[in-house]
Amino acid sequence: MGIDRTWLAEAVRRIEADYNRSADTHLIRMELPCYPGITLYLKDESAHPTGSLKHRLARSLFLYALCNEWIGPQTMVIEASSGSTAVSEAYFARMLGLRFIAVVPATTAPPKLDAIRFYGGEIHIVDDPRAIYAVSHQLAADTGGYYLDQFTYAERATDWRGNNNIAESIFAQMAKEEHPVPAWIVCGAGTGGTSATIGRFLRYQRHETKLCVADPVNSVFHRYYNNRTVTTAPDDSASRIEGIGRPRIEPSFVPTVIDRMIVVEDSDSIGAMRALSDALGRRVGGSTGTNLWACAQIIAEMAAIGQTGSVTTLLCDGGDRYGCTYYDDSWLDRRELAWRAAAARMAAFLGRPVAGPAEHIDASFFKPT
């Protein structure tokens, strides 16, 4: 017997009404004094009600599950997450009056856990990040609940043809800029859903824009992109950039729609994050730093061949959730993340003053490879 259609219709209406009340996220223009003729744009996904890019995914996952009648009025909802997706899913679960459990690694930043709890979600912590999938499946089986499984459904729950997905939003907002069709769009990969959506949209709309995925050095995605037989990262390898990079290839990762991958060291991600935060006057998250480092490399290469144009990337989430980690110098030092030189180099790239012993560093650090 199916889900009560009256309840189902009301659940969909609530989610759609919430979306209708929300404005689109801003597109921030960044002038680059060292690179005349090239402009960087940041799609600010931290402006969503739950503070991150994952708000879009969570909405899509809930609508997908509802319209497939996998969620009903008494269903317990479960997700495996490093934090941000679970925050957004807790928001939608509370909207529908559903119990929600987030299965998260022990390394998840405490402010993310607080945000999950704020929206009424429950926390199930696992010590081994690789165990979150199996634990989520088991919890769903034990409770008769539903495992949302972002890593499988991210690439299919979002309408990549349009319907105001992130790619369509970027192009609509770029329409009146000097270079309305970006030379490159840069994003990271956690589930792979965002890169799949953008890559498919670019091909569907016949844009010449190329897609680059910036990947943490300890992630398996870039390894798999170069060698399809590599499906897991080494056991002693783990991304320290929350939200992106995975120890295994996820079902939603679609390498064929990606034009290029750039590998980014964790310390470079943190340095870029800190420099951009100084430039914007507000904190951004670590995955934004990963994206920015890859953008700097691409822009330097464009400049080297005399190419002008625009590059767009994602400001994935705000930095307040990382106050006790990425913005704590002692926390970084204990983990031997030497981020300061990278921050100085990125400050120079952004045309910002570089103070201290790194004053000699300039934007030429980002050279073509």
Side-chain angles (χ1 to χ4, degrees):
M1 186 174 180
I3 304 297
D4 178 74
R5 292 288 288 273
T6 301
W7 180 88
L8 189 65
E10 175 60 14
V12 172
R13 185 202 65 77
R14 289 184 184 185
I15 292 175
E16 291 293 271
D18 178 76
Y19 169 74
N20 203 47
R21 292 192 298 270
S22 301
D24 200 356
T25 59
H26 297 294
L27 189 67
I28 301 171
R29 178 185 171 105
M30 301 287 292
E31 303 291 348
L32 302 174
C34 298
Y35 297 94
I38 304 176
T39 308
L40 175 65
Y41 294 86
L42 309 175
K43 180 69 167 160
D44 185 5
E45 295 294 284
S46 72
H48 285 293
T50 54
S52 83
L53 167 67
K54 299 300 185 179
H55 192 86
R56 294 180 188 268
L57 173 58
R59 181 175 62 228
S60 295
L61 288 169
F62 266 91
L63 288 172
Y64 189 71
L66 286 166
C67 293
N68 283 318
E69 295 200 5
W70 294 338
I71 291 178
Q74 305 302 320
T75 304
M76 177 187 293
V77 181
I78 297 155
E79 182 63 287
S81 171
S82 63
S84 289
T85 302
V87 173
S88 300
E89 288 171 341
Y91 171 90
F92 287 106
R94 185 176 74 172
M95 183 184 298
L96 303 183
L98 302 175
R99 185 179 172 191
F100 175 76
I101 300 177
V103 180
V104 301
T107 54
T108 303
K112 287 186 178 180
L113 303 181
D114 293 340
I116 293 169
R117 295 188 182 102
F118 174 81
Y119 290 117
E122 302 168 39
I123 308 294
H124 186 105
I125 294 176
V126 296
D127 291 327
D128 182 358
R130 299 168 192 260
I132 60 174
Y133 317 97
V135 171
S136 297
H137 277 294
Q138 191 61 51
L139 275 175
D142 292 345
T143 63
Y146 174 68
Y147 172 28
L148 283 163
D149 195 358
Q150 60 169 320
F151 299 105
T152 295
Y153 295 113
E155 60 90 9
R156 66 193 75 171
T158 300
D159 185 353
W160 50 268
R161 299 171 191 84
N163 194 24
N164 196 37
N165 66 39
I166 191 167
E168 185 177 59
S169 176
I170 287 171
F171 277 91
Q173 292 177 318
M174 289 286 295
K176 296 185 184 299
E177 301 300 312
E178 299 97 310
H179 303 284
V181 177
W184 288 87
I185 293 178
V186 178
C187 70
T191 62
T194 299
S195 58
T197 297
I198 295 172
R200 288 165 173 166
F201 182 87
L202 294 175
R203 286 151 180 78
Y204 181 63
Q205 294 293 335
R206 304 180 300 281
H207 291 305
E208 294 183 0
T209 305
K210 292 182 179 179
L211 174 63
C212 172
V213 170
D215 203 33
V217 65
N218 290 318
S219 169
V220 72
F221 288 137
H222 64 86
R223 295 175 169 89
Y224 178 74
Y225 183 77
N226 292 315
N227 181 351
R228 298 295 201 274
T229 67
V230 180
T231 59
T232 58
D235 289 341
D236 60 349
S237 178
S239 170
R240 287 184 282 190
I241 307 303
E242 287 192 32
I244 58 173
R246 301 298 304 165
R248 72 170 199 183
I249 286 300
E250 304 297 351
S252 284
F253 182 69
V254 184
T256 52
V257 301
I258 298 167
D259 296 291
R260 177 181 183 181
M261 293 195 73
I262 291 179
V263 182
V264 182
E265 297 284 345
D266 293 336
S267 56
D268 293 337
S269 293
I270 301 303
M273 172 201 78
R274 298 284 287 256
L276 181 59
S277 296
D278 289 343
L280 293 176
R282 60 186 177 93
R283 290 177 170 181
V284 302
S287 58
T288 300
T290 310
N291 291 342
L292 183 60
W293 195 266
C295 287
Q297 183 170 323
I298 286 172
I299 288 169
E301 292 171 1
M302 290 173 62
I305 61 174
Q307 181 182 358
T308 59
S310 57
V311 174
T312 302
T313 193
L314 308 183
L315 195 166
C316 305
D317 62 356
D320 291 343
R321 294 173 179 173
Y322 309 101
C324 59
T325 55
Y326 300 151
Y327 287 93
D328 182 336
D329 291 356
S330 61
W331 186 92
L332 295 172
D333 291 342
R334 288 196 301 273
R335 286 155 181 80
E336 298 182 344
L337 286 165
W339 58 274
R340 291 174 177 83
R345 290 161 179 156
M346 184 55 67
F349 169 80
L350 294 171
R352 303 282 297 176
V354 180
E359 288 178 350
H360 65 283
I361 295 174
D362 60 35
S364 64
F365 168 80
F366 296 98
K367 297 176 181 178
T369 58

